[in-house]
Every structure is written in C-alpha cells, then in structure tokens.
Amino acid sequence: MPEKLSPAKLRIGHAIKLPLSWLQHPFMSNKLVIENQHQIRIIQSLKLDFVYFYPDKSLAAPPEPKPASNEEVLRQIDEAAEYRATLQQKKSARIEASKMRRRSIQKTEKAFNQSFKQLHGLMKKLGSQPVTAIEEATQLTAQMAELIARPDALSLHMIATAQKDQENLYYHALNVSTLSMMLAKNMQLTEQQIQLVGFGALFHDIGKLRLPSQIMRKKEPLTKPEQNLLNLHTQYGAELAERLSVFPPEAIPILMQHHEYADGSGFPRGLKEQDIDPLAKIVMVANTFDNLCHPGPGQATRSPHTALSYMYRKMRQQLPETELKLLIKQMGIYPPGTLVQLSDDRIGMVITVNSDALLQPNIMVYEADIPRLEAPILTLAEDDLAIEKVLKPQQLPAQVLDYLNPCAQISYHVQGKQ
C-alpha cells in the first residue's frame, strides 16, 4: 500500500503517484520513479499537499546533495523550467499522435460500416436477385482482397458492434471473411485466391437461412435434434450455391467443409485433413476462432486472447497446424479486444494490431478524467511502455469496464499502412 509523502521530502529513486488528472501535469503518466532533481522541482511546483509514495518500488536514493548557493538555486530553477517545457512538448506530441490514431480508427470504422451495409443488402437480395447479390459480393471481396494483398503492412482493428440477434450472422460472415483473407495472404496465396477465400467465407453460413428462426434465435442450449438440424446448414449452403450458376464452383467446398476437422471429428462427412479443400481449411480456422469469441446459446464466451490460447492448447489435433500457427501470428500475442495492465499500472484494451509490429499494439487507456471518446490511444514503443499482464473483465471495477467497453460482439476490419 502506498504512503502519503510531502513533496518537500521527495528524493531521486522514489516511486510515486501524483494525485492529479492526466492533463494536470507534464509527465506521460501519473506514476513515475524520480530520476533527477528537475522532476522533483516540477512536482513541488504543482503545489500538492502530498504524493503517493511506494517504498517497495523505490530505488536506493543517492546521497543528499549539498546545500546550493542562491546562484545555483536560480540556475536549477531555470533548468527545471526548460525541462518542464520539453516534457510538455513531448506530451503534447503524444496527445496529437493519439488523436491521429483515433482519426485513423474512425476511418476504419466507417469503412467497416460501409462493408457491413453492403453485405446486409446483398444477403437480402440472395433469394430474389441472386445474380445481383453474387455480383455485389464479388465486388466487395475483390476490394478487400486488393487491399489485403498489398505488400505493405496491415492494421487489424477491433470494431465494437451493436448486438442485434438478426444481424449476428452478418457480423460473423464479415469477420470470418476478413480473417480468412488475411490468413490466405500470410499463406502466400495469390490475390485471386485471397478474393476467392473471402467470397466463400462471406457465404459460408448461408445454409442457416433455410433453418427455422426459432433455432437461430434460441437463447437456451439446443437439444440434440435441434443441433443435428443446425449442422445441416453446411449441406443446405452447398446445395443453394450449386443451384446458382454464377456462384464460383471453387468456393462451394468452403460452404460444405468449414466445420470439418483435421482429425476427422467434424461434420458433415468426418473428413481428415488431407481430404479437406485447402481454401476450406483456412475458413475452418477463422470460423472456429470467431465462434469461440461469439458462441451459441449455453456456451462460454471467450476473449480473443483466450480463444487463441484455447485453440492452441485444446484443439491442436482438430485444426491444421500451418493455418492455426499463422492465425495466432497474425492476431498477435495480444489480439484486438484484449484487456491488459501496462507497466505503469494503467489499464487498457488492445484495439489495433499492426502486422509489422505484433508486440507493439495500439491500446486505448482508461483515464477517469478524460471522456471515453477522447481516451488516449498509445503505441507501446513510442510511449516506452510494456504489457505486464492480460486481465479478465471480472478483474476490473465497473467504471473501468464501462469506459473500455469490452463488448460481447467484436468485429474486425483491416486498413493499409498510412
């Protein structure tokens, strides 16, 4: 537990926390280990009654300096003022960088919403205007594939989406399509193959449109007969696609086989890995991940971090090794949606993973005195921070959860390097 300490007693090596909001001081964080006399003078100039002092985190203090002359004191005051100005300038630059990241994320969210509207519209046309629906789906996935296939780095953003039962199928389809195309790129497939994977993934669950609505909307666990009926969606989807002359035949195995498993324990045919279509294996892995994050009734919801861990520890026999390892790599150790504690003890949520810096995700940080829509978005390397540990939602106070809003429905969208 911290102690209260008068700023007049501060020494180099002391680990402290300022009882101020983030915007009321020039330091990057409320918590710091004092490194020099300039920091002490700045803190003392804040006119605080006390700071929080952490003896267990403090370093051995150097010998106290000899009393300074008046001339020396004036020089130190001037140096401290310059030091403070430098700190404030760096902090202002970080704030502006954070705003730029937020604008980038807002741009990505806008693109996601546009893609979702396109998907929603074309799915509605599938029954009455199938040719138009297929053409629009081809255009949508071609645009995404063109972006994803570029040689430059990609950013994978978390998008918080509203929970509407009738739209969950569309969110899931767009998630699986996005993740599948990224996985296809990492497997060195051509842009045409990436687009084909995305197209098949977009339609992988269309067989569910033939199922009774009471099964699709049921909140309780399905009965065995209901589960058996749900499992027929793979066959229903393939049959529907086969009747559409404009549906690419190369994508049909994705609809039929995305629930097969490498060890033969999947459905509908219990195929082993060597008999599963290569493109279907990609969608199988992406689909498994998103289903673990957004499961059916009566099943535990997992965070993206926990879902990847579960796939690696518990499902390695069921999932193809190459595709599984590449999915884990592309999502990063801390995938978007992961709650974390930083090295300065602040709490945040990973919102963006960059393909060229997987260990340096962008993190939205909880700051009680800053509105959520203006919350700092940090990049670990730039802000000299590290992730100390992953947190579970139940470990956080209610106000932190409300602020970070780790929603049950997480969607993903990609953005090219700015």
Coordinates of all heavy atoms in Angstrom, one line a residue, residues 191-275:
E191 N -3.6 -12.9 -55.2 CA -4.8 -12.0 -54.9 C -6.1 -12.7 -55.3 O -7.1 -12.6 -54.6 CB -4.6 -10.7 -55.6 CG -5.7 -9.7 -55.3 CD -5.5 -8.4 -56.0 OE1 -4.3 -8.0 -56.2 OE2 -6.5 -7.7 -56.2
Q192 N -6.1 -13.4 -56.4 CA -7.3 -14.1 -56.9 C -7.7 -15.1 -55.9 O -8.9 -15.3 -55.6 CB -7.1 -14.8 -58.2 CG -8.3 -15.4 -58.8 CD -8.0 -16.1 -60.2 OE1 -6.9 -16.1 -60.6 NE2 -9.1 -16.5 -60.9
Q193 N -6.8 -15.9 -55.3 CA -7.1 -16.9 -54.3 C -7.6 -16.3 -53.0 O -8.5 -16.8 -52.4 CB -5.9 -17.8 -54.0 CG -5.6 -18.7 -55.2 CD -4.2 -19.4 -54.9 OE1 -3.2 -18.8 -54.6 NE2 -4.2 -20.8 -55.1
I194 N -7.0 -15.1 -52.7 CA -7.4 -14.4 -51.5 C -8.9 -14.0 -51.6 O -9.7 -14.1 -50.7 CB -6.5 -13.2 -51.2 CG1 -5.1 -13.7 -50.8 CG2 -7.1 -12.3 -50.1 CD1 -4.1 -12.5 -50.8
Q195 N -9.2 -13.4 -52.8 CA -10.6 -13.0 -53.1 C -11.5 -14.2 -53.0 O -12.6 -14.1 -52.5 CB -10.6 -12.3 -54.4 CG -11.9 -11.5 -54.7 CD -13.0 -12.4 -55.4 OE1 -12.6 -13.3 -56.1 NE2 -14.2 -12.0 -55.2
L196 N -11.1 -15.3 -53.6 CA -12.0 -16.5 -53.6 C -12.3 -17.0 -52.1 O -13.4 -17.4 -51.8 CB -11.4 -17.6 -54.4 CG -12.2 -18.8 -54.8 CD1 -13.4 -18.4 -55.6 CD2 -11.4 -19.8 -55.5
V197 N -11.2 -17.0 -51.3 CA -11.4 -17.4 -49.9 C -12.4 -16.4 -49.2 O -13.3 -16.9 -48.5 CB -10.0 -17.4 -49.2 CG1 -10.2 -17.4 -47.7 CG2 -9.2 -18.5 -49.6
G198 N -12.2 -15.1 -49.4 CA -13.1 -14.2 -48.8 C -14.5 -14.3 -49.3 O -15.4 -14.2 -48.5
F199 N -14.7 -14.6 -50.6 CA -16.0 -14.8 -51.1 C -16.7 -16.0 -50.5 O -17.8 -15.9 -50.0 CB -15.9 -15.0 -52.6 CG -17.3 -15.1 -53.3 CD1 -17.9 -14.0 -53.9 CD2 -17.9 -16.4 -53.5 CE1 -19.2 -14.2 -54.5 CE2 -19.1 -16.5 -54.1 CZ -19.7 -15.4 -54.6
G200 N -16.0 -17.1 -50.4 CA -16.6 -18.3 -49.8 C -16.9 -18.1 -48.4 O -17.9 -18.6 -47.9
A201 N -16.0 -17.4 -47.7 CA -16.2 -17.1 -46.2 C -17.4 -16.2 -46.0 O -18.1 -16.4 -45.0 CB -14.9 -16.5 -45.6
L202 N -17.6 -15.3 -46.9 CA -18.7 -14.4 -46.8 C -20.1 -15.2 -46.8 O -21.0 -14.8 -46.1 CB -18.7 -13.4 -48.0 CG -19.3 -12.0 -47.8 CD1 -18.6 -11.3 -46.6 CD2 -19.2 -11.2 -49.0
F203 N -20.1 -16.3 -47.6 CA -21.3 -17.1 -47.8 C -21.3 -18.4 -47.0 O -22.2 -19.2 -47.2 CB -21.6 -17.4 -49.3 CG -22.0 -16.2 -50.1 CD1 -21.1 -15.5 -50.9 CD2 -23.3 -15.7 -50.0 CE1 -21.5 -14.4 -51.7 CE2 -23.7 -14.6 -50.7 CZ -22.8 -14.0 -51.6
H204 N -20.3 -18.6 -46.1 CA -20.1 -19.9 -45.6 C -21.3 -20.4 -44.8 O -21.5 -21.6 -44.6 CB -18.8 -20.0 -44.8 CG -18.9 -19.4 -43.4 ND1 -18.8 -18.0 -43.2 CD2 -19.1 -19.9 -42.2 CE1 -18.9 -17.7 -41.9 NE2 -19.0 -18.9 -41.3
D205 N -22.1 -19.5 -44.2 CA -23.2 -19.9 -43.4 C -24.6 -19.6 -44.0 O -25.6 -19.6 -43.3 CB -23.1 -19.1 -42.0 CG -22.3 -19.9 -41.0 OD1 -22.0 -21.1 -41.2 OD2 -22.0 -19.2 -40.0
I206 N -24.6 -19.4 -45.3 CA -25.9 -19.1 -45.9 C -26.9 -20.2 -45.8 O -28.1 -20.0 -45.9 CB -25.8 -18.7 -47.4 CG1 -25.1 -19.9 -48.3 CG2 -25.0 -17.4 -47.6 CD1 -25.2 -19.6 -49.8
G207 N -26.4 -21.5 -45.5 CA -27.4 -22.6 -45.3 C -28.3 -22.3 -44.1 O -29.4 -22.9 -44.0
K208 N -27.8 -21.5 -43.2 CA -28.6 -21.2 -42.0 C -29.9 -20.4 -42.3 O -30.8 -20.4 -41.5 CB -27.7 -20.4 -41.0 CG -26.7 -21.3 -40.3 CD -25.8 -20.5 -39.3 CE -24.8 -21.3 -38.6 NZ -24.0 -20.6 -37.6
L209 N -29.9 -19.8 -43.5 CA -31.1 -19.0 -43.9 C -32.3 -20.0 -44.1 O -33.4 -19.5 -44.1 CB -30.8 -18.2 -45.1 CG -29.7 -17.2 -45.0 CD1 -29.4 -16.5 -46.4 CD2 -30.0 -16.1 -44.0
R210 N -32.0 -21.3 -44.3 CA -33.1 -22.3 -44.5 C -33.6 -22.8 -43.2 O -34.5 -23.6 -43.2 CB -32.6 -23.4 -45.4 CG -32.6 -23.1 -46.9 CD -32.2 -24.3 -47.7 NE -33.0 -25.5 -47.4 CZ -32.9 -26.7 -48.0 NH1 -31.9 -26.9 -48.9 NH2 -33.7 -27.7 -47.7
L211 N -32.9 -22.5 -42.1 CA -33.3 -23.1 -40.8 C -34.4 -22.3 -40.1 O -34.5 -21.1 -40.4 CB -32.1 -23.1 -39.9 CG -30.9 -24.0 -40.4 CD1 -29.7 -23.9 -39.4 CD2 -31.3 -25.5 -40.5
P212 N -35.2 -23.0 -39.3 CA -36.3 -22.3 -38.6 C -35.7 -21.2 -37.7 O -34.7 -21.3 -37.1 CB -36.9 -23.4 -37.7 CG -36.5 -24.7 -38.4 CD -35.2 -24.4 -39.0
S213 N -36.4 -20.1 -37.7 CA -35.9 -18.9 -37.0 C -35.8 -19.2 -35.5 O -35.0 -18.6 -34.7 CB -36.8 -17.7 -37.2 OG -38.2 -17.9 -36.8
Q214 N -36.7 -20.1 -35.0 CA -36.7 -20.4 -33.5 C -35.4 -21.0 -33.1 O -35.0 -20.9 -32.0 CB -37.9 -21.2 -33.1 CG -38.1 -22.5 -33.8 CD -39.0 -22.5 -35.0 OE1 -39.0 -21.4 -35.7 NE2 -39.7 -23.5 -35.3
I215 N -34.8 -21.8 -34.0 CA -33.5 -22.4 -33.7 C -32.4 -21.3 -33.7 O -31.5 -21.3 -32.8 CB -33.2 -23.5 -34.7 CG1 -34.1 -24.7 -34.4 CG2 -31.7 -23.9 -34.6 CD1 -33.8 -25.9 -35.3
M216 N -32.4 -20.5 -34.7 CA -31.4 -19.5 -34.9 C -31.4 -18.4 -33.7 O -30.4 -17.8 -33.4 CB -31.5 -18.8 -36.2 CG -31.2 -19.7 -37.4 SD -29.7 -20.6 -37.3 CE -28.5 -19.2 -37.3
R217 N -32.6 -18.2 -33.2 CA -32.7 -17.1 -32.1 C -32.9 -17.7 -30.7 O -33.1 -17.0 -29.8 CB -34.0 -16.3 -32.5 CG -33.8 -15.5 -33.8 CD -35.0 -14.6 -34.0 NE -34.8 -13.9 -35.3 CZ -35.7 -13.0 -35.7 NH1 -36.7 -12.6 -35.0 NH2 -35.5 -12.3 -36.9
K218 N -32.8 -19.0 -30.6 CA -33.0 -19.6 -29.3 C -31.8 -19.2 -28.3 O -30.7 -19.2 -28.7 CB -33.0 -21.2 -29.5 CG -33.4 -21.9 -28.2 CD -33.5 -23.4 -28.4 CE -33.9 -24.1 -27.1 NZ -34.0 -25.6 -27.3
K219 N -32.2 -18.9 -27.1 CA -31.3 -18.4 -26.1 C -30.7 -19.6 -25.3 O -29.6 -19.5 -24.7 CB -31.9 -17.4 -25.2 CG -32.4 -16.1 -25.9 CD -31.2 -15.4 -26.6 CE -31.7 -14.1 -27.2 NZ -30.6 -13.4 -27.9
E220 N -31.5 -20.6 -25.1 CA -31.1 -21.8 -24.3 C -30.3 -22.7 -25.2 O -30.4 -22.7 -26.4 CB -32.3 -22.5 -23.8 CG -33.2 -21.7 -22.9 CD -34.1 -20.7 -23.7 OE1 -34.5 -21.1 -24.8 OE2 -34.5 -19.6 -23.1
P221 N -29.5 -23.6 -24.5 CA -28.8 -24.6 -25.3 C -29.7 -25.5 -26.2 O -30.8 -25.8 -25.8 CB -28.2 -25.5 -24.2 CG -28.1 -24.6 -23.0 CD -29.3 -23.7 -23.1
L222 N -29.2 -25.8 -27.4 CA -30.0 -26.6 -28.3 C -30.2 -28.0 -27.9 O -29.2 -28.6 -27.3 CB -29.4 -26.5 -29.7 CG -29.3 -25.1 -30.4 CD1 -28.6 -25.3 -31.8 CD2 -30.6 -24.4 -30.5
T223 N -31.3 -28.6 -28.2 CA -31.5 -30.0 -27.9 C -30.6 -30.8 -29.0 O -30.2 -30.2 -30.0 CB -32.9 -30.5 -28.0 OG1 -33.4 -30.2 -29.4 CG2 -33.8 -29.6 -27.0
K224 N -30.5 -32.1 -28.8 CA -29.7 -32.9 -29.8 C -30.3 -32.8 -31.1 O -29.6 -32.6 -32.2 CB -29.6 -34.3 -29.3 CG -28.7 -35.2 -30.2 CD -27.3 -34.8 -30.2 CE -26.4 -35.8 -31.0 NZ -25.0 -35.3 -31.1
P225 N -31.7 -33.0 -31.3 CA -32.3 -32.9 -32.6 C -32.1 -31.5 -33.2 O -31.9 -31.4 -34.4 CB -33.8 -33.2 -32.3 CG -33.8 -34.1 -31.1 CD -32.6 -33.5 -30.3
E226 N -32.2 -30.5 -32.4 CA -32.0 -29.1 -32.9 C -30.6 -28.9 -33.4 O -30.4 -28.3 -34.4 CB -32.4 -28.1 -31.8 CG -33.9 -28.0 -31.5 CD -34.2 -27.1 -30.3 OE1 -33.3 -27.0 -29.5 OE2 -35.3 -26.6 -30.2
Q227 N -29.6 -29.5 -32.6 CA -28.2 -29.3 -33.0 C -28.0 -30.1 -34.4 O -27.2 -29.6 -35.2 CB -27.3 -29.9 -31.9 CG -25.8 -29.7 -32.2 CD -25.4 -28.2 -32.3 OE1 -25.7 -27.4 -31.5 NE2 -24.7 -27.8 -33.4
N228 N -28.6 -31.3 -34.5 CA -28.4 -32.0 -35.7 C -29.0 -31.3 -36.9 O -28.4 -31.3 -38.0 CB -29.1 -33.4 -35.6 CG -28.4 -34.3 -34.6 OD1 -27.2 -34.2 -34.4 ND2 -29.1 -35.3 -34.1
L229 N -30.1 -30.6 -36.7 CA -30.7 -29.8 -37.8 C -29.8 -28.6 -38.1 O -29.6 -28.3 -39.3 CB -32.1 -29.3 -37.3 CG -32.9 -28.4 -38.4 CD1 -33.1 -29.2 -39.7 CD2 -34.2 -28.0 -37.8
L230 N -29.2 -27.9 -37.1 CA -28.3 -26.8 -37.3 C -27.1 -27.3 -38.1 O -26.6 -26.5 -39.0 CB -27.9 -26.2 -36.0 CG -26.8 -25.1 -36.0 CD1 -27.4 -23.9 -36.8 CD2 -26.4 -24.7 -34.6
N231 N -26.6 -28.5 -37.8 CA -25.5 -29.0 -38.5 C -25.7 -29.2 -40.0 O -24.7 -29.2 -40.8 CB -25.0 -30.3 -37.9 CG -24.4 -30.1 -36.5 OD1 -24.2 -29.0 -36.1 ND2 -24.1 -31.2 -35.9
L232 N -27.0 -29.2 -40.4 CA -27.3 -29.4 -41.8 C -27.0 -28.1 -42.7 O -27.1 -28.2 -43.9 CB -28.7 -29.8 -42.0 CG -29.1 -31.3 -41.5 CD1 -30.6 -31.5 -41.6 CD2 -28.4 -32.3 -42.4
H233 N -26.7 -27.1 -42.0 CA -26.6 -25.8 -42.7 C -25.4 -25.9 -43.7 O -25.4 -25.2 -44.8 CB -26.4 -24.6 -41.8 CG -25.0 -24.5 -41.2 ND1 -24.6 -25.1 -40.0 CD2 -23.9 -23.8 -41.6 CE1 -23.3 -24.8 -39.8 NE2 -22.9 -24.0 -40.7
T234 N -24.4 -26.7 -43.5 CA -23.3 -26.8 -44.4 C -23.8 -27.4 -45.8 O -23.4 -27.0 -46.8 CB -22.2 -27.7 -43.9 OG1 -22.7 -29.0 -43.5 CG2 -21.6 -27.1 -42.6
Q235 N -24.6 -28.5 -45.7 CA -25.2 -29.1 -46.9 C -26.2 -28.2 -47.6 O -26.2 -28.1 -48.8 CB -25.9 -30.4 -46.5 CG -24.8 -31.5 -46.0 CD -25.5 -32.7 -45.4 OE1 -25.6 -32.8 -44.2 NE2 -26.0 -33.6 -46.2
Y236 N -27.0 -27.5 -46.8 CA -28.0 -26.6 -47.3 C -27.3 -25.5 -48.1 O -27.7 -25.1 -49.2 CB -28.9 -26.0 -46.2 CG -29.8 -26.9 -45.6 CD1 -30.4 -26.6 -44.3 CD2 -30.2 -28.1 -46.2 CE1 -31.3 -27.5 -43.7 CE2 -31.1 -29.0 -45.6 CZ -31.6 -28.7 -44.3 OH -32.5 -29.5 -43.7
G237 N -26.2 -25.0 -47.5 CA -25.5 -23.9 -48.2 C -24.9 -24.3 -49.5 O -24.9 -23.6 -50.5
A238 N -24.2 -25.5 -49.5 CA -23.6 -26.0 -50.7 C -24.7 -26.3 -51.8 O -24.5 -26.0 -53.0 CB -22.9 -27.3 -50.4
E239 N -25.8 -26.8 -51.4 CA -26.9 -27.1 -52.4 C -27.4 -25.8 -53.0 O -27.7 -25.7 -54.2 CB -28.1 -27.8 -51.7 CG -27.7 -29.2 -51.3 CD -28.8 -29.8 -50.3 OE1 -29.8 -29.2 -50.1 OE2 -28.6 -31.0 -49.9
L240 N -27.6 -24.7 -52.1 CA -28.0 -23.4 -52.6 C -27.0 -22.9 -53.6 O -27.4 -22.4 -54.7 CB -28.2 -22.5 -51.5 CG -28.6 -21.0 -51.8 CD1 -29.9 -21.0 -52.6 CD2 -28.7 -20.2 -50.6
A241 N -25.7 -22.9 -53.3 CA -24.7 -22.4 -54.2 C -24.6 -23.1 -55.5 O -24.4 -22.5 -56.5 CB -23.3 -22.5 -53.5
E242 N -24.8 -24.4 -55.4 CA -24.8 -25.2 -56.7 C -25.9 -24.9 -57.6 O -25.7 -25.1 -58.9 CB -24.8 -26.7 -56.3 CG -23.5 -27.2 -55.7 CD -23.6 -28.6 -55.1 OE1 -24.8 -29.1 -55.0 OE2 -22.6 -29.2 -54.7
R243 N -27.0 -24.4 -57.1 CA -28.1 -24.0 -57.9 C -27.9 -22.7 -58.6 O -28.7 -22.3 -59.5 CB -29.5 -24.1 -57.1 CG -29.9 -25.4 -56.7 CD -31.4 -25.4 -56.4 NE -31.7 -24.6 -55.2 CZ -31.7 -25.0 -53.9 NH1 -31.4 -26.2 -53.7 NH2 -32.0 -24.1 -53.0
L244 N -27.0 -21.9 -58.1 CA -26.7 -20.6 -58.6 C -25.6 -20.7 -59.6 O -24.4 -20.9 -59.3 CB -26.3 -19.6 -57.5 CG -27.4 -19.4 -56.4 CD1 -26.8 -18.5 -55.3 CD2 -28.6 -18.7 -57.0
S245 N -25.9 -20.5 -60.9 CA -24.9 -20.7 -61.9 C -23.7 -19.7 -61.8 O -22.6 -20.0 -62.3 CB -25.5 -20.6 -63.3 OG -26.1 -19.3 -63.5
V246 N -24.0 -18.6 -61.2 CA -22.9 -17.5 -61.1 C -22.0 -17.7 -59.9 O -21.1 -17.0 -59.7 CB -23.6 -16.1 -61.1 CG1 -24.2 -15.8 -62.4 CG2 -24.6 -16.0 -60.0
F247 N -22.4 -18.7 -59.0 CA -21.6 -18.9 -57.8 C -20.3 -19.7 -58.2 O -20.4 -20.7 -58.8 CB -22.4 -19.7 -56.8 CG -21.8 -19.6 -55.4 CD1 -22.4 -18.7 -54.5 CD2 -20.7 -20.4 -54.9 CE1 -21.9 -18.6 -53.2 CE2 -20.2 -20.2 -53.7 CZ -20.9 -19.4 -52.8
P248 N -19.1 -19.1 -57.8 CA -17.9 -19.8 -58.2 C -17.8 -21.2 -57.7 O -17.9 -21.4 -56.5 CB -16.8 -18.9 -57.6 CG -17.4 -17.6 -57.4 CD -18.9 -17.9 -57.1
P249 N -17.7 -22.2 -58.5 CA -17.6 -23.6 -58.0 C -16.5 -23.9 -57.1 O -16.6 -24.7 -56.2 CB -17.5 -24.4 -59.3 CG -17.1 -23.5 -60.4 CD -17.6 -22.1 -60.0
E250 N -15.4 -23.1 -57.2 CA -14.2 -23.3 -56.4 C -14.5 -22.9 -54.9 O -13.7 -23.4 -54.0 CB -13.0 -22.5 -56.9 CG -12.6 -22.8 -58.3 CD -13.3 -21.9 -59.3 OE1 -14.3 -21.3 -59.0 OE2 -12.7 -21.7 -60.4
A251 N -15.5 -22.1 -54.7 CA -15.8 -21.7 -53.4 C -16.8 -22.6 -52.6 O -17.0 -22.5 -51.4 CB -16.4 -20.2 -53.4
I252 N -17.5 -23.5 -53.4 CA -18.5 -24.3 -52.8 C -18.0 -25.2 -51.7 O -18.6 -25.4 -50.7 CB -19.2 -25.1 -53.9 CG1 -20.0 -24.1 -54.8 CG2 -20.2 -26.2 -53.3 CD1 -20.8 -24.8 -55.9
P253 N -16.7 -25.8 -51.8 CA -16.2 -26.7 -50.7 C -16.1 -25.9 -49.4 O -16.2 -26.5 -48.3 CB -14.8 -27.1 -51.3 CG -15.0 -27.1 -52.7 CD -15.9 -25.9 -53.0
I254 N -15.9 -24.6 -49.5 CA -15.8 -23.8 -48.2 C -17.2 -23.9 -47.5 O -17.2 -24.0 -46.3 CB -15.5 -22.3 -48.6 CG1 -14.1 -22.2 -49.1 CG2 -15.7 -21.4 -47.3 CD1 -13.7 -20.8 -49.6
L255 N -18.3 -23.8 -48.2 CA -19.6 -23.9 -47.6 C -19.8 -25.2 -47.0 O -20.4 -25.4 -45.9 CB -20.7 -23.5 -48.7 CG -20.9 -22.1 -49.0 CD1 -19.7 -21.4 -49.5 CD2 -22.1 -21.9 -49.9
M256 N -19.4 -26.3 -47.7 CA -19.6 -27.6 -47.2 C -18.7 -28.1 -46.1 O -19.1 -28.8 -45.2 CB -19.5 -28.6 -48.4 CG -19.6 -30.1 -48.1 SD -21.3 -30.5 -47.5 CE -22.1 -30.8 -49.1
Q257 N -17.4 -27.6 -46.1 CA -16.4 -28.2 -45.3 C -15.9 -27.3 -44.2 O -15.0 -27.7 -43.4 CB -15.2 -28.6 -46.2 CG -15.6 -29.7 -47.2 CD -14.4 -30.0 -48.1 OE1 -13.2 -29.6 -47.9 NE2 -14.7 -30.7 -49.2
H258 N -16.5 -26.2 -43.9 CA -15.9 -25.3 -42.9 C -16.1 -25.8 -41.5 O -15.5 -25.2 -40.6 CB -16.4 -23.8 -43.0 CG -17.9 -23.7 -42.8 ND1 -18.8 -23.9 -43.8 CD2 -18.6 -23.4 -41.7 CE1 -20.0 -23.7 -43.3 NE2 -19.9 -23.4 -42.0
H259 N -16.8 -26.9 -41.3 CA -16.9 -27.5 -40.0 C -16.3 -28.8 -39.9 O -16.4 -29.6 -38.9 CB -18.4 -27.6 -39.5 CG -19.0 -26.3 -39.0 ND1 -18.6 -25.8 -37.8 CD2 -19.9 -25.5 -39.5 CE1 -19.3 -24.7 -37.5 NE2 -20.1 -24.5 -38.6
E260 N -15.5 -29.2 -40.9 CA -14.7 -30.4 -40.8 C -13.5 -30.1 -40.0 O -13.1 -29.0 -39.8 CB -14.3 -30.9 -42.2 CG -15.4 -31.2 -43.2 CD -16.1 -32.5 -42.9 OE1 -15.7 -33.2 -41.9 OE2 -17.0 -32.9 -43.7
Y261 N -12.9 -31.2 -39.4 CA -11.7 -31.0 -38.6 C -10.6 -31.9 -39.1 O -10.9 -33.0 -39.7 CB -12.0 -31.3 -37.1 CG -12.7 -30.2 -36.4 CD1 -13.8 -30.5 -35.5 CD2 -12.3 -28.9 -36.5 CE1 -14.4 -29.5 -34.8 CE2 -12.9 -27.9 -35.8 CZ -14.0 -28.2 -35.0 OH -14.6 -27.2 -34.3
A262 N -9.4 -31.5 -38.8 CA -8.2 -32.3 -39.4 C -8.2 -33.7 -38.9 O -7.7 -34.6 -39.6 CB -6.9 -31.6 -39.0
D263 N -8.7 -34.0 -37.7 CA -8.7 -35.4 -37.1 C -9.9 -36.2 -37.5 O -10.1 -37.3 -37.0 CB -8.5 -35.3 -35.6 CG -9.7 -34.6 -34.9 OD1 -10.6 -34.1 -35.6 OD2 -9.7 -34.6 -33.7
G264 N -10.8 -35.6 -38.3 CA -11.9 -36.4 -38.8 C -13.1 -36.3 -37.9 O -14.1 -37.0 -38.1
S265 N -13.1 -35.4 -36.8 CA -14.2 -35.3 -35.9 C -15.2 -34.3 -36.2 O -16.2 -34.0 -35.5 CB -13.6 -35.0 -34.5 OG -13.0 -33.7 -34.5
G266 N -15.1 -33.7 -37.4 CA -16.0 -32.6 -37.8 C -17.2 -33.2 -38.6 O -17.4 -34.4 -38.7
F267 N -18.0 -32.3 -39.2 CA -19.1 -32.7 -40.0 C -19.2 -31.8 -41.2 O -18.5 -30.8 -41.3 CB -20.4 -32.5 -39.1 CG -20.8 -31.1 -38.7 CD1 -21.5 -30.2 -39.6 CD2 -20.4 -30.6 -37.5 CE1 -21.8 -28.9 -39.2 CE2 -20.7 -29.3 -37.2 CZ -21.4 -28.4 -38.0
P268 N -19.9 -32.2 -42.3 CA -20.9 -33.3 -42.3 C -20.3 -34.7 -42.6 O -21.0 -35.7 -42.4 CB -21.8 -32.8 -43.4 CG -20.9 -32.1 -44.4 CD -19.9 -31.4 -43.5
R269 N -19.1 -34.8 -43.1 CA -18.6 -36.1 -43.6 C -17.4 -36.6 -42.8 O -17.0 -37.7 -43.1 CB -18.1 -35.9 -45.1 CG -19.3 -35.5 -46.0 CD -18.8 -35.3 -47.5 NE -19.9 -35.0 -48.4 CZ -19.8 -34.6 -49.6 NH1 -18.5 -34.4 -50.1 NH2 -20.8 -34.3 -50.4
G270 N -17.0 -36.0 -41.8 CA -15.9 -36.5 -41.0 C -14.6 -36.7 -41.8 O -13.9 -37.6 -41.6
L271 N -14.3 -35.7 -42.6 CA -13.1 -35.7 -43.4 C -11.8 -35.6 -42.6 O -11.8 -34.8 -41.6 CB -13.2 -34.7 -44.5 CG -14.3 -34.7 -45.5 CD1 -14.2 -33.5 -46.5 CD2 -14.4 -36.0 -46.3
K272 N -10.8 -36.2 -43.0 CA -9.4 -36.0 -42.4 C -8.8 -34.8 -43.2 O -9.2 -34.4 -44.3 CB -8.6 -37.2 -42.6 CG -9.1 -38.4 -41.7 CD -8.9 -38.1 -40.2 CE -9.2 -39.4 -39.4 NZ -8.2 -40.5 -39.5
E273 N -7.7 -34.3 -42.6 CA -7.1 -33.1 -43.1 C -6.7 -33.2 -44.6 O -6.9 -32.3 -45.4 CB -5.8 -32.7 -42.3 CG -5.1 -31.4 -42.9 CD -4.0 -31.0 -42.0 OE1 -3.8 -31.5 -40.9 OE2 -3.3 -30.0 -42.4
Q274 N -6.1 -34.3 -45.0 CA -5.7 -34.5 -46.4 C -6.8 -34.4 -47.4 O -6.6 -34.2 -48.6 CB -4.9 -35.7 -46.6 CG -5.6 -37.0 -46.3 CD -5.6 -37.5 -44.9 OE1 -5.3 -36.7 -44.0 NE2 -5.9 -38.8 -44.7
D275 N -8.1 -34.6 -46.9 CA -9.2 -34.7 -47.8 C -10.0 -33.4 -47.8 O -11.0 -33.2 -48.5 CB -10.1 -35.8 -47.4 CG -9.4 -37.2 -47.5 OD1 -8.7 -37.4 -48.5 OD2 -9.6 -38.0 -46.6

